[in-house]
Amino acid sequence: METSALASERIKNWQALAVFSADPLSSVAYATEEILLVLVLAGATAVHYLLPVSLSIVVLLFMVVLSYRQAILAYPTGGGGYAVSLHELGVWAGLVAGAALLIDYVLTVAVSVSAGAAAITSAWPFLHGHQVGLGIAAVTLITLINLRGVRESGIVFAIPTYFFIVTFGILICTGLYKFITGNIHWASPLPAFPLTGLTPFLLLRAFAAGCTALTGVETISNGVRSFYPPETLNARTTMLWMGGLLAFLFGGISFLATALGIVPRPAETVVSQLAATVAGRGLLYYLVQVSTALILFLAANSAFNGFPRLAAAMATDRFLPRFLSFLGDRLVYSHGIFFLGLTAAGLIIGFHARTHALIPLYAVGVFTTFTLCQYGVLRHWLKERHPGWWWNSVITGLGGTATLVATSIIAAAKFLEGAWIVILLVSAVVWASFSVYRHYRDIAEELRLQQPPAYPAVGEPLIIVPVAGVHRGVIKTLAYARSLSQRVVAVHVAADPEVTQKVMARWEQYIPDFPLTVLPSPYRSVYKPLLHFIDEAQARAAAKHTFVMVLLPEFVPRKWWHYFLHNQTGLKLQTLLLLRKDVLVAGVPFHLRR
């Protein structure tokens, strides 16, 4: 696609809801279950605390959504938590926010796809044990779809996202109707476990587990430029839609799970149990399971939209390799998409697609970014004082304080469960990013022109032509070398005495007017004697203010697989010579016709 087509690669609000909101919406499928997995440690009757824990998370959700709407208003060009933290709180805060988000996006793909595989095996038990294969297939498919472009992926992902919203909406409304009409009653307390283990810390652990429902909320703020104009208004509107839908779905599932007294089971998800109880194992049940699997697989799409854009922004700021900022043929950041797909697939394989093993790594990074972003936006409003700054400051200040408390709770509750790994990974990415920045800074400093250049006088180069045999490719290389310089040396390494005798005999027969230098090699090494000869020549050339050039005869076969039939000595030698200072290397190709 031409670069001029970039403006047409915008998406409407209904498409953006599918592209950017699949991750937070999909968390409905496992967030309630993660809370219950903690609460049941205090006994089955502790599940009645699910509802207050879920309500506190819904309140936090609205505070985060309102704060990020302010972030979009303050930074309409996008960038999310990384851009805000970098410009308002400094380099280190920006790097922490960026590193935490990058790691969270990778975990988003791994967790969502693993949960989708669990939903499939819950509905069709004969697939149990194939979760890793299902996950790898899903990641591959999503990667290929995203490489097609933003607008096309938006159309593809809109159908399953809205299918999920509709089926879950019907499920929740059916359950609420049956509850109101008396067909569902509050579950009697299950026998007989005293709540001696229900401590405040356990409730905080349950809250921390349920905060996975908020992951991905920031993705819209990273992709503001993907919206049709007015971009800011459309992005803020979509953010509000996403927050309302997420609150309804997550709150509805938690309410019904509490009313039905559902507890986690090893081979069946909480959503599967709830759908079977409310609607029976009929059509609606299987529609819910299919839509759950689809949204969980495709929730990774939010990360596939957020990760490449964030990586491109950090690469543009020289904190990541520059190739991550290049737009591919389809006007997408294809390098970032490939990297995300490979890393997530590695996690799925490493953790055997077990959602509960990945969840403890999940929320620490994203809540750290939430906090930094909101305090960055607060500083922006206090500094700029645009109309309405006071009210905006109150919203972002409250949101930042709430997420700071939540971050502390999550870090403390999940530290020993694996959160320490994320903290180490964030630190490692921050260190690596600053090292990349320092590398680019040093290169720019060394290449900078301080004054108009004075071209130094350079003598005629010494050209060395390594010779393994006597053939038409060598003749062509020698002819080209003589056109560049009168100082040409042909060199043969005597690694095999019989081969050397044949080479010398053919040299005398076909090229008698050109001297051939033979280098002894008693240990049969081709590279060491040649490199030693080139180093000595380079030292003499440096004293005469000239340079050494090595021309390598190369033949190019007609079929690509023919390359594997040859030892690629020239390619290896070229790689070794690239490390030599002031030695130029070039290949002279001879194209084979047969």
Side-chain angles (χ1 to χ4, degrees):
M1 297 181 67
E2 295 182 3
T3 306
S4 58
L6 186 61
S8 65
E9 286 297 290
R10 303 295 184 97
I11 51 180
K12 298 179 181 179
N13 291 9
W14 65 271
Q15 292 174 312
L17 187 65
V19 171
F20 294 119
S21 301
D23 175 22
L25 292 178
S26 69
S27 63
V28 171
Y30 54 81
T32 299
E33 183 165 355
E34 292 302 317
I35 299 173
L36 288 172
L37 284 169
V38 177
L39 291 177
V40 294
L41 297 175
T45 53
V47 299
H48 292 289
Y49 287 88
L50 169 63
L51 198 56
V53 172
S54 299
L55 288 175
S56 64
I57 293 172
V58 169
V59 172
L60 180 62
L61 165 67
F62 276 110
M63 297 181 75
V64 171
V65 167
L66 291 175
S67 295
Y68 265 96
R69 280 169 51 85
Q70 305 307 313
I72 294 171
L73 196 62
Y75 283 84
T77 57
Y82 162 72
V84 173
S85 302
L86 181 69
H87 291 101
E88 298 295 343
L89 303 178
V91 171
W92 291 109
L95 289 181
V96 169
L101 267 183
L102 290 175
I103 293 170
D104 179 70
Y105 283 137
V106 176
L107 289 169
T108 292
V109 178
V111 169
S112 299
V113 169
S114 299
I120 288 179
T121 55
S122 293
W124 293 276
F126 68 91
L127 291 173
H128 191 74
H130 298 282
Q131 289 92 330
V132 173
L134 291 170
I136 298 300
V139 169
T140 303
L141 179 62
I142 297 167
T143 301
L144 293 175
I145 292 174
N146 274 277
L147 289 172
R148 293 293 302 167
V150 173
R151 187 173 58 179
E152 293 186 19
S153 65
I155 296 172
V156 170
F157 291 127
I159 297 172
T161 300
Y162 286 106
F163 178 46
F164 170 81
I165 293 171
V166 170
T167 54
F168 264 66
I170 293 173
L171 175 66
I172 293 170
C173 291
T174 301
L176 292 176
Y177 174 78
K178 289 186 175 182
F179 177 77
I180 294 171
T181 56
N183 293 321
I184 290 179
H185 304 280
W186 286 102
S188 301
L190 296 175
F193 295 101
L195 297 181
T196 54
L198 188 63
T199 63
F201 182 72
L202 193 67
L203 286 173
L204 292 178
R205 281 184 59 192
F207 173 81
C211 282
T212 54
L214 274 67
T215 53
V217 169
E218 79 293 334
T219 310
I220 292 175
S221 67
N222 290 329
V224 177
R225 290 186 175 183
S226 299
F227 287 82
Y228 273 110
E231 294 90 341
T232 301
L233 176 61
N234 288 329
R236 297 180 80 226
T237 301
T238 307
M239 175 76 74
L240 203 58
W241 291 356
M242 180 268 297
L245 282 171
L246 179 56
F248 169 71
L249 297 177
F250 172 62
I253 293 296
S254 294
F255 175 82
L256 291 177
T258 303
L260 297 171
I262 290 176
V263 295
R265 295 177 186 172
E268 187 176 12
T269 63
V270 165
V271 169
S272 175
Q273 295 179 59
L274 191 149
T277 305
V278 171
R281 293 187 181 269
L283 177 62
L284 181 57
Y285 171 80
Y286 285 102
L287 289 177
V288 167
Q289 290 303 102
V290 170
S291 69
T292 301
L294 285 175
I295 194 67
L296 285 167
F297 283 141
L298 301 183
N301 187 60
S302 294
F304 273 95
N305 280 277
F307 183 98
R309 285 178 170 80
L310 175 59
M314 295 181 69
T316 302
D317 294 333
R318 301 190 295 180
F319 290 117
L320 289 179
R322 293 299 298 272
F323 66 82
L324 290 171
S325 66
F326 299 153
L327 278 171
D329 294 343
R330 298 290 303 180
L331 297 179
V332 293
Y333 298 107
S334 51
H335 291 100
I337 292 172
F338 274 123
F339 181 82
L340 177 59
L342 289 174
T343 310
L347 272 180
I348 291 169
I349 295 171
F351 285 84
H352 305 288
R354 294 197 306 266
T355 307
H356 305 311
L358 289 163
I359 285 289
L361 311 178
Y362 201 14
V364 178
V366 70
F367 270 83
T368 301
T369 306
F370 285 169
T371 304
L372 290 172
C373 175
Q374 288 171 108
Y375 280 125
V377 175
L378 174 61
R379 187 176 184 275
H380 170 83
W381 293 127
L382 294 175
K383 181 175 61 177
E384 299 295 333
R385 301 205 172 192
H386 295 300
W389 69 271
W390 185 87
W391 173 241
N392 293 333
S393 299
V394 170
I395 294 175
T396 51
L398 288 174
T401 303
T403 53
L404 177 61
V405 173
T407 303
S408 304
I409 294 171
I410 293 169
K414 295 191 175 186
F415 186 81
L416 295 179
E417 298 178 29
W420 62 272
I421 299 176
V422 177
I423 295 172
L424 287 180
L425 283 175
V426 170
S427 302
V429 174
V430 168
W431 175 82
S433 299
F434 191 75
S435 298
V436 169
Y437 176 81
R438 187 168 52 194
H439 168 75
Y440 285 132
R441 182 196 62 192
D442 293 345
I443 288 179
E445 184 64 30
E446 191 165 352
L447 295 177
R448 182 177 292 112
L449 291 172
Q450 303 293 343
Q451 54 189 4
Y455 297 100
V458 179
E460 195 173 31
L462 171 64
I463 298 181
I464 299 174
V465 180
V467 174
V470 181
H471 49 74
R472 293 169 63 187
V474 170
I475 301 297
K476 179 180 179 181
T477 304
L478 290 175
Y480 181 66
R482 280 180 163 175
S483 71
L484 298 177
S485 174
Q486 295 302 311
R487 302 173 62 212
V488 180
V489 179
V491 178
H492 173 76
V493 179
D496 186 330
E498 294 184 4
V499 173
T500 300
Q501 289 180 2
K502 293 180 181 179
V503 169
M504 293 177 66
R506 290 175 60 81
W507 194 272
E508 287 294 329
Q509 179 182 357
Y510 292 104
I511 323 176
D513 60 334
F514 202 104
L516 175 66
T517 301
V518 178
L519 303 177
S521 180
Y523 297 102
R524 300 165 304 282
S525 170
V526 175
Y527 304 110
K528 194 170 183 179
L530 185 57
L531 292 174
H532 180 68
F533 179 82
I534 293 172
D535 288 341
E536 289 184 340
Q538 194 276 329
R540 293 192 300 270
K544 297 179 181 180
H545 302 288
T546 184
F547 55 90
V548 171
M549 184 174 187
V550 180
L551 288 182
L552 301 173
E554 298 177 347
F555 57 89
V556 182
R558 290 187 62 186
K559 300 181 185 298
W560 64 268
W561 57 269
H562 289 170
Y563 279 101
F564 299 104
L565 303 179
H566 305 280
N567 56 15
Q568 303 297 329
T569 304
L571 180 62
K572 297 175 185 176
L573 183 59
Q574 188 172 6
T575 303
L576 292 171
L577 290 175
L578 286 174
L579 304 176
R580 269 19 187 214
K581 184 180 178 182
D582 296 330
V583 176
L584 306 183
V585 188
V588 181
F590 183 84
H591 291 265
L592 301 176
R593 291 178 293 176
R594 297 183 180 179

